[in-house]
């Protein structure tokens, strides 16, 4: 019953567990060795040494029995696989976009669209940066400009739609560089780097009008669109009686192009796509996908994975599913808040974000408090999280200076349909223990810094 769910009631997962994967707790001694060997970077830990893995919700979800059946229906023909047509029709039916180009994952789609639309000297405004998205815009010669509302940069601000775009910032950019230098606005739903914060439908509609007025395209990073739809349904007037499917469709229909990392919302272990309505743009994307990914009817995906994705799209927009998903994230966030742990509020869609700046207030940002906190949590409990602060923000491409973002966060990301409420309890207790001994956590210095996306492979030492 979709509409009764907006009242505060207990929720339960709309599934039962048919197969389990065993995990093991390790000793503190062993974890100390592991984190040192990993250069204090949780990306470099081996998963066998991790107890509860909250590094990411990307590709880590549990597929349903239906999705696994879809895997068996893979049509692995080089060209014209029937799974491609199933995927294409599903994207059009639920997400509104007529043309779909499969890619190996989200960044494959970002690569292609940036190459097509961004010219040297262009500016690409967006509601906060995402690491891979911004890099592809920059590699194509563009400059990213943050146009998210100021509230998004303030961890404690309770704005219900911290993913919203500030139109004064967009107007100022047009005034400064001219609309012809802006190929598109990149709008993300459930903004990852802001803490999984949603954009409102009202703001999306305004964006459509603004872009029409300036003849600028809207490119939608729809990686977590159903999570955004959940917040619209539960927070925005006029949407309480709409289904998640209706809201998702309405959001998508306000945009021209979409990039999707299918490893999130639709719960496949690998895959993504680029989608659009304009046949000319589709033609260009087909030209490029054969160079970088694969033939346009499979892109970077196996037939079986396209089938599982088509099924996952439908599962991702079911009310029972999304309510349980968000209920679990909220449960962890609320437990931490009750214990006085500083987290990004309101609690986001895919993760709980710890405010490392406050938790480790004895460390200056140059000593990478979020990186240090993620390492300390692992050491304490075997729970793996991810830094989302100065290390992730990287350096200014012109000046080489370190970006020092306002948000210095550690992300506890909840995979879909994988962990139980008891795992959330254990995680919360571990964080509370670390907070009690926060002063003993030392800052870090970079000892190896890769040129691109340094957070993935960078190595650190304790100061
Ligand atoms: C995460 C993952 C991926 C992602 C995303 C948004 C809003 C595009 C993508 C790219 C994986 C990740 C990626 C970079 C740094 C850390 C982690 N997010 N847009 O964990 O999609 O990974 O499929 O190429 O969240 O948040 P893909």
């Amino acid at each position: 019953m979709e509409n009764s769910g907006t009242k505060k009631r207990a929720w339960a997962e709309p599934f039962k567990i048919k197969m389990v994967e065993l995990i093991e707790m390790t000793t503190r001694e062993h974890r100390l060795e592991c984190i040192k060997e990993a250069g204090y970077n949780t990306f470099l830990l081996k998963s066998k040494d991790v107890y509860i893995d909250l590094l990411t919700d990307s590709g880590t979800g549990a597929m349903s029995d239906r999705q696994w059946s879809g895997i068996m229906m893979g049509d692995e023909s080089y060209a014209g696989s029937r799974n491609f047509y199933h995927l294409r029709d599903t994207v059009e039916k639920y997400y509104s976009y007529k043309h779909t180009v499969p890619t190996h994952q989200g960044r494959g789609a970002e690569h292609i669209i940036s190459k097509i639309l961004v010219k040297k000297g262009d500016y690409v405004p967006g509601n906060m940066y995402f690491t891979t998205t911004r890099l592809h815009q920059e590699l194509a010669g563009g400059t990213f400009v943050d146009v998210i509302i100021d509230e998004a940069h303030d961890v404690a601000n309770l704005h219900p739609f911290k993913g919203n775009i500030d139109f004064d910032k967009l107007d100022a950019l047009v005034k400064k560089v001219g609309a012809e230098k802006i190929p598109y606005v990149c709008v993300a739903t459930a903004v990852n780097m802001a803490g999984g914060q949603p954009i409102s439908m009202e703001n999306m509609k305004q964006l459509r009008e603004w872009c029409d007025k300036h003849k600028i395209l809207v490119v939608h990073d729809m990686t977590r669109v159903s999570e955004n739809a959940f917040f619209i349904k539960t927070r925005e007037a006029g949407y309480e009686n709409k289904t998640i499917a209706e809201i998702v469709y309405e959001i998508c229909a306000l945009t021209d192009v979409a990039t999707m990392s299918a490893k999130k919302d639709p719960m496949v272990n690998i895959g993504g796509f680029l989608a659009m309505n304009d046949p000319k743009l589709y033609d260009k994307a087909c030209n490029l996908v054969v160079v970088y990914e694969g033939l346009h009817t499979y892109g970077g995906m196996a037939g079986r994975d396209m089938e599982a994705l088509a099924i996952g799209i439908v599962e991702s927009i079911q009310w029972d599913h999304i309510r349980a998903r968000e209920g679990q994230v909220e449960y962890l966030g609320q437990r931490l808040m009750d214990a006085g742990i500083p987290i990004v509020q309101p609690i986001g869609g895919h993760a709980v974000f710890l405010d490392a700046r406050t938790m480790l207030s004895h460390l200056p940002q140059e000593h990478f408090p979020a990186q240090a906190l993620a390492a300390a949590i692992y050491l304490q409990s075997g729970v793996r999280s991810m830094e989302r602060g100065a290390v992730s923000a990287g350096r200014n491409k012109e000046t080489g200076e370190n970006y020092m973002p306002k948000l210095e966060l550690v992300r506890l990301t909840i995979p879909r349909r994988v962990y139980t409420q008891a795992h959330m309890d254990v995680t919360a207790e571990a964080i509370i223990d670390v907070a009690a001994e926060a002063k003993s956590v030392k800052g870090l210095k970079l000892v190896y810094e890769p040129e691109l996306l340094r957070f993935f492979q960078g190595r650190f030492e304790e100061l």
Side-chain angles (χ1 to χ4, degrees), residues 235-259:
R235 293 181 190 168
E236 191 165 351
Y239 286 89
E240 50 282 76
N241 295 321
K242 294 234 157 105
T243 63
I244 295 296
E246 285 166 339
I247 299 171
V248 164
Y249 191 93
E250 189 176 339
I251 295 172
C252 294
L254 288 165
T255 69
D256 300 298
V257 177
T259 57

Side-chain angles (χ1 to χ4, degrees), residues 343-414:
I343 64 167
V344 174
Q345 293 184 50
I347 296 163
H350 63 306
V352 175
F353 289 73
L354 305 174
D355 178 9
R357 201 189 269 283
T358 307
M359 267 181 89
L360 303 189
S361 57
H362 60 292
L363 298 182
Q365 199 171 14
E366 297 74 54
H367 296 172
F368 305 121
Q371 188 79 27
L373 182 58
I377 291 167
Y378 170 73
L379 181 60
Q380 170 69 25
S381 60
V383 172
R384 171 153 69 172
S385 58
M386 185 192 291
E387 188 268 4
R388 299 275 78 174
V391 179
S392 295
R395 292 175 185 274
N396 182 298
K397 67 168 178 154
E398 249 91 57
T399 65
E401 291 281 301
N402 272 317
Y403 285 118
M404 284 293 155
K406 277 204 181 139
L407 300 180
E408 180 68 25
L409 309 174
V410 167
R411 189 180 75 174
L412 300 161
T413 335
I414 317 299

Side-chain angles (χ1 to χ4, degrees), residues 4 7 94 98 136 143 159 192 259 277 304 309 324 353 368 389 416 439 444:
S4 62
K7 285 195 210 102
Y94 294 98
K98 286 197 174 58
H136 279 299
T143 300
H159 194 295
N192 191 350
T259 57
N277 293 316
R304 53 180 171 268
L309 169 52
F353 289 73
F368 305 121
R416 294 167 186 79
K439 289 277 178 291
L444 298 173

Side-chain angles (χ1 to χ4, degrees), residues 43 56-58 105-107 110 130-133 192 221 223-224 261 263-264 386 388 411 455-456:
F43 277 106
T56 177
D57 63 331
S58 183
Q105 54 185 69
R107 67 197 74 177
E110 292 167 352
F130 186 71
T131 51
T132 57
T133 321
N192 191 350
D221 182 339
T223 296
R224 298 182 182 85
S261 169
K263 302 165 75 174
K264 282 84 165 177
M386 185 192 291
R388 299 275 78 174
R411 189 180 75 174
F455 52 88
F456 281 134

Side-chain angles (χ1 to χ4, degrees), residues 146-368:
D146 190 6
V147 295
I148 204 165
I149 55 172
D150 287 340
E151 286 88 335
H153 294 277
D154 173 359
V155 287
N157 191 294
L158 290 174
H159 194 295
F161 292 103
K162 279 167 121 174
N164 279 357
I165 286 173
D166 182 337
F167 290 93
D168 289 341
K169 292 183 186 174
L170 272 183
D171 286 335
L173 182 66
V174 168
K175 218 166 157 197
K176 190 168 148 211
V177 305
E180 63 291 344
K181 286 255 179 261
I182 305 173
Y184 60 88
V185 176
C186 183
V187 63
T189 34
V191 182
N192 191 350
M193 299 301 281
Q197 302 294 328
I199 179 169
S200 71
M201 191 71 85
E202 190 193 2
N203 199 260
M204 287 291 302
K205 287 181 187 163
Q206 246 175 299
L207 176 66
R208 178 74 267 167
E209 270 174 38
W210 188 92
C211 284
D212 285 345
K213 185 172 122 199
H214 294 283
K215 300 198 166 49
I216 291 172
L217 293 174
V218 180
V219 175
H220 175 202
D221 182 339
M222 64 176 300
T223 296
R224 298 182 182 85
V225 66
S226 72
E227 299 183 357
N228 198 112
F230 173 83
F231 291 119
I232 289 179
K233 180 175 171 70
T234 51
R235 293 181 190 168
E236 191 165 351
Y239 286 89
E240 50 282 76
N241 295 321
K242 294 234 157 105
T243 63
I244 295 296
E246 285 166 339
I247 299 171
V248 164
Y249 191 93
E250 189 176 339
I251 295 172
C252 294
L254 288 165
T255 69
D256 300 298
V257 177
T259 57
M260 170 61 120
S261 169
K263 302 165 75 174
K264 282 84 165 177
D265 250 9
M267 294 170 286
V268 288
N269 302 122
I270 193 73
F273 58 78
L274 176 64
M276 70 280 283
N277 293 316
D278 179 358
K280 287 201 197 97
L281 209 54
Y282 176 58
D283 214 39
K284 286 185 187 166
C286 288
N287 272 307
L288 284 186
V289 78
V290 295
V291 181
Y292 295 109
E293 303 271 331
L295 191 76
H296 64 290
T297 55
Y298 74 85
M301 294 181 76
R304 53 180 171 268
D305 291 328
M306 291 192 280
E307 190 62 27
L309 169 52
I311 296 165
I313 288 172
V314 183
E315 293 181 5
S316 76
I317 53 170
Q318 303 307 316
W319 170 249
D320 287 347
H321 162 72
I322 200 75
R323 178 179 57 168
R325 157 102 181 122
E326 300 311 343
Q328 188 173 41
V329 177
E330 197 195 344
Y331 177 81
L332 175 61
Q334 193 60 52
R335 275 220 52 175
L336 292 173
M337 272 175 19
D338 291 347
I341 306 291
I343 64 167
V344 174
Q345 293 184 50
I347 296 163
H350 63 306
V352 175
F353 289 73
L354 305 174
D355 178 9
R357 201 189 269 283
T358 307
M359 267 181 89
L360 303 189
S361 57
H362 60 292
L363 298 182
Q365 199 171 14
E366 297 74 54
H367 296 172
F368 305 121

